[in-house]
Amino acid sequence: MIENKKSLYRTYRPSTFKALAGHKNVVDILVKQLKENKISHALLFAGQRGTGKTSVARIFAKSVNCSNLIDGFCCETCENCLSANNNSAPDIFEIDAASNNGVDEIRGIKNNVATLPVLGKYKVYIIDEVHMLTKGAFNALLKTLEEPPAHALFILATTEYAKIPATIVSRCQTFNFQKIDKKSLKDRLKLICKEENYLISEEVLDEIFYLSEGSLRDALNILEQLMIVNNTEINIESLKAIFYIATKHEKIAIIESIIKGETEAIISYFEKADGQGMDFDVFALSLIEIIKEVIEYKLTNNLEFLRILEIDDLKVIKEASLESMFKLADNLSEAYAKTKGTTVNFNYLLISLLKSVGTVEQKNQANQSDQLVEKTAEINIEVEKKQVAEVKTTVNDEIQNSNSNVTVSQKQTSVTEEKLHAETKIIEKTETKETEKVSKVDVEVPERKVQKIEKSTDEKERIFEDVKSPVVTLLSELANLQSLEILKNSNQEAHSVEMSNIINLLVGAKKDLRDLIENKISSWFKTEDGTKLVHPEKAALFSPFYKVKVVAVSNKEVLIRCDDIAQAKLLCLKLENKQFRQLIFKEFNKEFVIYPIDENKWEDVKIEFKNLKVKNSLPSYQEINVTDYYESLAKDKLEKTLNDDLIEGAAKIFDLEEIEIGE
């Protein structure tokens, strides 16, 4: 006899709102409608597959007919609830529009809807995959959906909201079902594993979340496959054997290879993984999450942010610069966004990581080089403090002091020789693989033969040409100032730059003004002889502008492109400060509205501008009032702060954890 085995997603389909995973916002609204008996006659549930649209529809259909509702939740004991749980409720009609999508089926509903319900108060019609209805069927449904009998309730569910006619959408109360959040999905899987007597590791749960892309049904199907091949414990190796995903150790090893510049190891791993059928979409997502934790830890030094990683996993990774980790995350995100679900994801992801190798390696080398230069500078200062009485050159790697009757130039030469000695000692101490890549002094150690004293000081100074100039340290400090500013303001909310404002600026852009503003910003960070900043005070004050690109300038507006979204946010926050703006306006000799955007938004702007131009729909340039613009920003921020304070105060008064305000 064949046993009728139910899938996990059917066995553990939730029967009450309390058993649902996620969708708290949707549940709260529906429960409130039930409590206050203010039930909408037509609901539209839209969202990706496997997020619970049909389950919520069934629970709501059961709840509206429950004869003993308790605070908006069905009792599960009355006749209506029991019949609904057994799929035998006479007043609930579930229709699959994928196979019943014609006009005749909708006419059947219209004829049936007029009759009264058998047991409950409502006749509920659940139309799944409603976007599959034909145009004629939608037209036939319109009048019934707009003015149904008082006892009729329609629940429409779709995975393709864009295909629903606007005439249908306008007659429904719409609920958007987002992907199930990670915590809710993992908690649900843990509960099911416990019920089925299986042990499952956190690493496996994380990987199932990535594989399912927030779909609980997909996650349960994956879990069911794992239960078939395992007896009582589900580990990462069994998951890897079925779906070929990378283990945490492998992902950390890849990041370490990027930091160390081990391109061969990266290529070898990818080629092997591609041959075994790895899902590179999942791989990219999990790499991004690991890098996110690294960045959080580097910014805060707080172990509480490490949920995937442990402190031992950070031995190599934490040596990488914060800027290089941001760049790596950008490259991975771009690769994932461009190639998700395509056949080129393997190639593009590999290329993006190899591109990151150079970036990360250069940043790390720059950090090490800066440290070397700083140490060298300290020793040079000490050497120059010495009172050199005399000097004598030898050929035995020794610089000896001679009698005090030496010329000023000879004294300078002696200082140079001692500098060279100090440089050599530092390089000997830091003679590791990484340091060799960063800086090499053009001398022989320890068999170097010292140049004769008669050679000019200029000739001797050429020995130091390969050593980074002190300006590197100064510019590095500017980048560090930026990072500290970003960290300090990370919890603040900045205003967003509207696309319409940027398009308006581009329409009225003037090249001569752009060159003027770009030259002015560049002058703040100008260096003299490659050794010092010409305007160190301005460079420090305007450090948020360091390395920005002036894209376009109109009579009243400046568009600035930043390296990343963090710098763009920092500039937006700084520009909200009136005193900071006045200092900039003084530098520009004119008031401007400044729009800081990141690279990704700039790409979107170019696409939008091109589309408008092709359609001949570009707007006429409208000159903006600078004072009004920034006063409007300040007013909006003040209103939001007051609203937030009001909500927080109300929450304390009523002893509520969370208050949600509708539109």
Side-chain angles (χ1 to χ4, degrees):
M1 183 177 176
I2 299 175
E3 183 181 355
N4 185 14
K5 176 74 168 68
K6 279 188 178 181
S7 298
L8 283 181
Y9 77 85
R10 292 177 61 200
T11 304
Y12 290 95
R13 186 187 289 274
S15 60
T16 66
F17 284 129
K18 291 180 180 178
L20 276 171
H23 307 310
K24 183 180 183 299
N25 57 333
V26 174
V27 170
D28 287 348
I29 296 171
L30 295 178
V31 169
K32 191 169 184 180
Q33 285 188 5
L34 292 166
K35 284 173 67 176
E36 298 178 359
N37 198 26
K38 295 179 180 179
I39 298 166
S40 176
H41 69 277
L43 309 176
L44 175 59
F45 294 168
Q48 77 160 49
R49 71 190 187 284
T51 50
K53 298 183 296 298
T54 305
S55 295
V56 173
R58 289 178 179 177
I59 295 169
F60 191 70
K62 177 174 66 174
S63 300
V64 294
N65 283 326
C66 177
S67 56
N68 187 27
L69 274 178
I70 305 169
D71 290 331
F73 295 95
C74 52
C75 67
E76 291 290 87
T77 56
C78 69
E79 186 179 359
N80 283 309
C81 287
L82 294 175
S83 61
N85 289 339
N86 294 327
N87 295 321
S88 59
D91 299 321
I92 298 176
F93 303 90
E94 192 167 340
I95 300 152
D96 178 21
S99 53
N100 301 284
N101 58 2
V103 176
D104 292 338
E105 284 79 4
I106 300 302
R107 283 176 181 162
I109 294 175
K110 290 177 67 177
N111 295 332
N112 180 269
V113 77
T115 60
L116 293 172
V118 177
L119 285 178
K121 294 182 292 183
Y122 295 94
K123 294 181 79 169
V124 186
Y125 295 87
I126 301 172
I127 307 178
D128 209 358
E129 301 300 336
V130 69
H131 63 274
M132 300 289 284
L133 290 178
T134 63
K135 186 177 180 180
F138 273 125
N139 290 334
L141 183 63
L142 277 177
K143 192 63 177 175
T144 305
L145 200 62
E146 184 173 23
E147 296 178 0
H151 60 263
L153 170 63
F154 287 89
I155 305 176
L156 315 180
T158 180
T159 54
E160 298 189 43
Y161 178 78
K163 291 185 178 180
I164 309 296
T167 50
I168 295 291
V169 174
S170 65
R171 288 165 168 79
C172 300
Q173 191 177 84
T174 303
F175 293 86
N176 292 312
F177 282 66
Q178 303 295 330
K179 293 179 179 180
I180 307 239
D181 64 279
K182 189 174 184 179
K183 183 180 182 304
S184 298
L185 189 142
K186 286 174 64 175
D187 288 345
R188 187 67 175 170
L189 295 182
K190 286 179 186 176
L191 177 66
I192 292 171
C193 284
K194 185 178 179 181
E195 291 292 324
E196 296 288 326
N197 296 317
Y198 277 87
L199 295 175
I200 188 167
S201 68
E202 286 290 330
E203 189 176 0
V204 173
L205 291 170
D206 287 333
E207 295 301 336
I208 291 177
F209 172 75
Y210 301 133
L211 284 166
S212 66
E213 296 183 331
S215 167
L216 184 54
R217 184 168 62 227
D218 289 358
L220 290 175
N221 285 333
I222 293 167
L223 182 62
E224 190 167 11
Q225 287 178 268
L226 293 170
M227 286 180 174
I228 292 171
V229 297
N230 291 277
N231 293 325
T232 57
E233 185 176 354
I234 301 171
N235 55 41
I236 193 66
E237 295 304 324
S238 60
L239 180 64
K240 182 175 179 178
I242 297 175
F243 298 98
Y244 199 74
I245 51 90
T247 63
K248 183 178 78 170
H249 174 74
E250 289 172 351
K251 285 176 281 196
I252 292 171
I254 284 292
I255 297 174
E256 290 181 352
S257 294
I258 294 169
I259 294 168
K260 294 177 181 177
E262 297 171 348
T263 53
E264 188 175 345
I266 298 169
I267 295 170
S268 175
Y269 177 82
F270 266 73
E271 293 293 345
K272 181 182 176 183
D274 186 46
Q276 294 174 324
M278 176 182 280
D279 187 331
F280 287 101
D281 288 342
V282 173
F283 182 69
L285 277 177
S286 51
L287 273 183
I288 291 169
E289 185 143 2
I290 287 176
I291 293 167
K292 182 207 75 166
E293 287 199 2
V294 174
I295 291 171
E296 288 174 340
Y297 177 75
K298 290 178 76 68
L299 286 171
T300 64
N301 206 31
N302 189 342
L303 292 174
E304 290 181 4
F305 291 112
L306 299 182
R307 294 180 177 84
I308 299 173
L309 300 174
E310 297 176 4
I311 190 63
D312 291 339
D313 297 326
L314 295 169
K315 287 180 180 177
V316 175
I317 298 176
K318 68 181 180 181
E319 299 302 324
S321 70
L322 186 61
E323 190 177 352
S324 66
M325 287 292 98
F326 277 123
K327 195 67 179 177
L328 177 56
D330 285 343
N331 289 342
L332 277 169
S333 300
E334 181 185 2
Y336 176 77
K338 285 185 176 180
T339 65
K340 179 186 174 186
T342 67
T343 56
V344 299
N345 56 0
F346 156 69
N347 294 319
Y348 197 85
L349 180 61
L350 174 57
I351 291 169
S352 296
L353 289 179
L354 293 176
K355 181 172 66 175
S356 302
V357 169
T359 306
V360 173
E361 195 175 12
Q362 288 168 13
K363 297 298 179 187
N364 294 336
Q365 289 174 352
N367 287 344
Q368 294 176 9
S369 181
D370 289 345
Q371 292 171 6
L372 179 62
V373 172
E374 288 171 6
K375 289 180 182 177
T376 305
E378 290 174 4
I379 292 177
N380 286 345
I381 291 170
E382 294 300 320
V383 171
E384 289 175 357
K385 286 180 180 178
K386 293 179 181 179
Q387 300 299 313
V388 181
E390 51 190 7
V391 61
K392 181 174 68 175
T393 304
T394 72
V395 293
N396 298 318
D397 270 332
E398 299 275 345
I399 297 177
Q400 304 289 343
N401 294 331
S402 65
N403 56 52
S404 58
N405 297 322
V406 293
T407 64
V408 173
S409 63
Q410 287 174 324
K411 290 181 180 182
Q412 293 172 344
T413 304
S414 175
V415 172
T416 302
E417 293 290 353
E418 293 201 32
K419 286 182 183 179
L420 181 58
H421 231 6
E423 295 283 355
T424 303
K425 289 180 180 179
I426 292 171
I427 291 171
E428 288 176 341
K429 290 179 181 179
T430 59
E431 193 178 4
T432 63
K433 181 180 177 182
E434 293 299 323
T435 308
E436 287 173 354
K437 292 179 182 178
V438 174
S439 175
K440 289 185 178 179
V441 178
D442 188 18
V443 293
E444 294 177 34
V445 182
E447 292 84 8
R448 176 181 55 81
K449 292 185 178 181
V450 181
Q451 303 291 328
K452 289 186 177 180
I453 191 65
E454 287 79 11
K455 290 192 176 181
S456 70
T457 302
D458 289 338
E459 282 182 62
K460 294 181 181 292
E461 290 294 346
R462 289 194 198 103
I463 296 173
F464 298 100
E465 285 179 355
D466 289 338
V467 179
K468 285 182 175 285
S469 66
V471 77
V472 173
T473 304
L474 295 170
L475 298 181
S476 176
E477 286 174 358
L478 289 176
N480 289 338
L481 276 174
Q482 265 189 2
S483 298
L484 289 171
E485 287 273 15
I486 290 169
L487 177 59
K488 185 174 72 175
N489 296 283
S490 61
N491 292 327
Q492 294 190 44
E493 187 174 340
H495 68 274
S496 60
V497 179
E498 299 296 331
M499 180 73 77
S500 57
N501 287 340
I502 301 174
I503 296 296
N504 181 64
L505 184 159
L506 294 176
V507 171
K510 297 185 177 181
K511 188 178 185 305
D512 55 336
L513 285 177
R514 187 189 74 82
D515 294 339
L516 188 68
I517 298 299
E518 188 167 48
N519 291 337
K520 173 56 69 176
I521 292 176
S522 297
S523 71
W524 298 338
F525 309 106
K526 185 179 178 182
T527 61
E528 182 180 316
D529 299 329
T531 58
K532 62 180 180 179
L533 289 164
V534 178
H535 305 293
E537 297 85 1
K538 288 183 180 179
L541 178 62
F542 300 124
S543 62
F545 284 89
Y546 179 49
K547 293 175 71 175
V548 302
K549 174 70 176 175
V550 179
V551 179
V553 180
S554 67
N555 282 333
K556 293 287 186 178
E557 299 153 295
V558 177
L559 180 61
I560 284 178
R561 190 182 76 217
C562 304
D563 277 351
D564 51 50
I565 196 169
Q567 186 185 8
K569 176 189 171 183
L570 172 63
L571 266 174
C572 285
L573 284 169
K574 296 290 285 185
L575 290 165
E576 290 172 8
N577 183 287
K578 186 175 181 180
Q579 287 75 18
F580 185 75
R581 290 200 306 272
Q582 293 302 325
L583 290 172
I584 295 168
F585 297 159
K586 186 177 179 181
E587 289 288 314
F588 291 165
N589 293 321
K590 188 176 180 180
E591 292 189 350
F592 287 98
V593 173
I594 301 174
Y595 302 129
I597 61 173
D598 63 284
E599 186 69 38
N600 290 334
K601 185 152 188 173
W602 172 234
E603 292 300 322
D604 294 340
V605 168
K606 288 191 287 186
I607 293 170
E608 179 68 14
F609 188 86
K610 183 178 179 181
N611 290 339
L612 291 172
K613 191 172 183 180
V614 169
K615 297 174 183 177
N616 200 26
S617 300
L618 284 171
S620 300
Y621 177 67
Q622 301 292 323
E623 191 165 286
I624 195 167
N625 185 295
V626 178
T627 303
D628 289 349
Y629 178 84
Y630 284 111
E631 284 182 355
S632 175
L633 288 183
K635 183 179 178 182
D636 290 344
K637 197 155 192 176
L638 179 61
E639 287 179 355
K640 185 179 186 309
T641 303
L642 291 173
N643 287 338
D644 290 344
D645 291 344
L646 182 63
I647 293 168
E648 185 179 348
K652 289 179 180 178
I653 292 171
F654 295 108
D655 195 22
L656 297 174
E657 293 182 0
E658 189 176 338
I659 293 181
E660 294 185 2
I661 306 296
E663 292 183 2

